[in-house]
Amino acid sequence: QTGTGKTHTIAGPKEDPGVMSRCLSDIFAGLPATGLELWYEYVQMYLDDFKDLLETRSSDLKLVDGKDGNVHLQSVTSRRAISRDEVLAAVEAGAARRATRAQD
């Protein structure tokens, strides 16, 4: 699926923000009225492994059954979102850590 515009649609350039930036703007515009906090994680599933893209060091992430009956990703980094720009910066930094492979 190389060259199909996924990155442009999701991220977009600064002059024409993508879906992620627009959604985060809407979320942060309404968040104060709720009294809630927004937390986020950024994980890549690549082949049979999970990679925590918010961490610069390698970590061993595993799926585990939680006591609540749900499946959780053990030891994943979860951050409290302060602003749209902070989340977008973390995603940009994490994208540089993504595993990629050559396309045919």
Side-chain angles (χ1 to χ4, degrees):
Q1 295 244 341
T2 301
T4 60
K6 297 179 302 294
T7 301
H8 181 81
T9 300
I10 297 296
K14 290 189 189 287
E15 61 276 1
D16 184 20
V19 173
M20 188 181 319
S21 180
R22 292 171 193 225
C23 287
L24 286 168
S25 291
D26 288 349
I27 290 167
F28 278 104
L31 195 60
T34 69
L36 301 173
E37 296 177 337
L38 178 66
W39 290 76
Y40 66 100
E41 298 161 356
Y42 189 21
V43 176
Q44 178 185 28
M45 186 175 94
Y46 184 72
L47 301 176
D48 293 330
D49 295 318
F50 294 95
K51 186 173 185 175
D52 188 337
L53 298 177
L54 294 179
E55 280 294 324
T56 55
R57 60 178 164 64
S58 177
S59 56
D60 189 24
L61 302 178
K62 293 183 180 170
L63 289 175
V64 295
D65 291 320
K67 293 179 182 179
D68 59 2
N70 294 314
V71 177
H72 300 274
L73 193 54
Q74 187 177 40
S75 302
V76 67
T77 302
S78 187
R79 291 186 184 168
R80 181 173 168 260
I82 306 301
S83 70
R84 178 197 72 152
D85 291 340
E86 178 260 337
V87 174
L88 292 174
V91 168
E92 185 177 337
R97 292 188 279 278
R98 286 178 44 222
T100 58
R101 66 180 177 96
Q103 300 294 318
D104 296 340

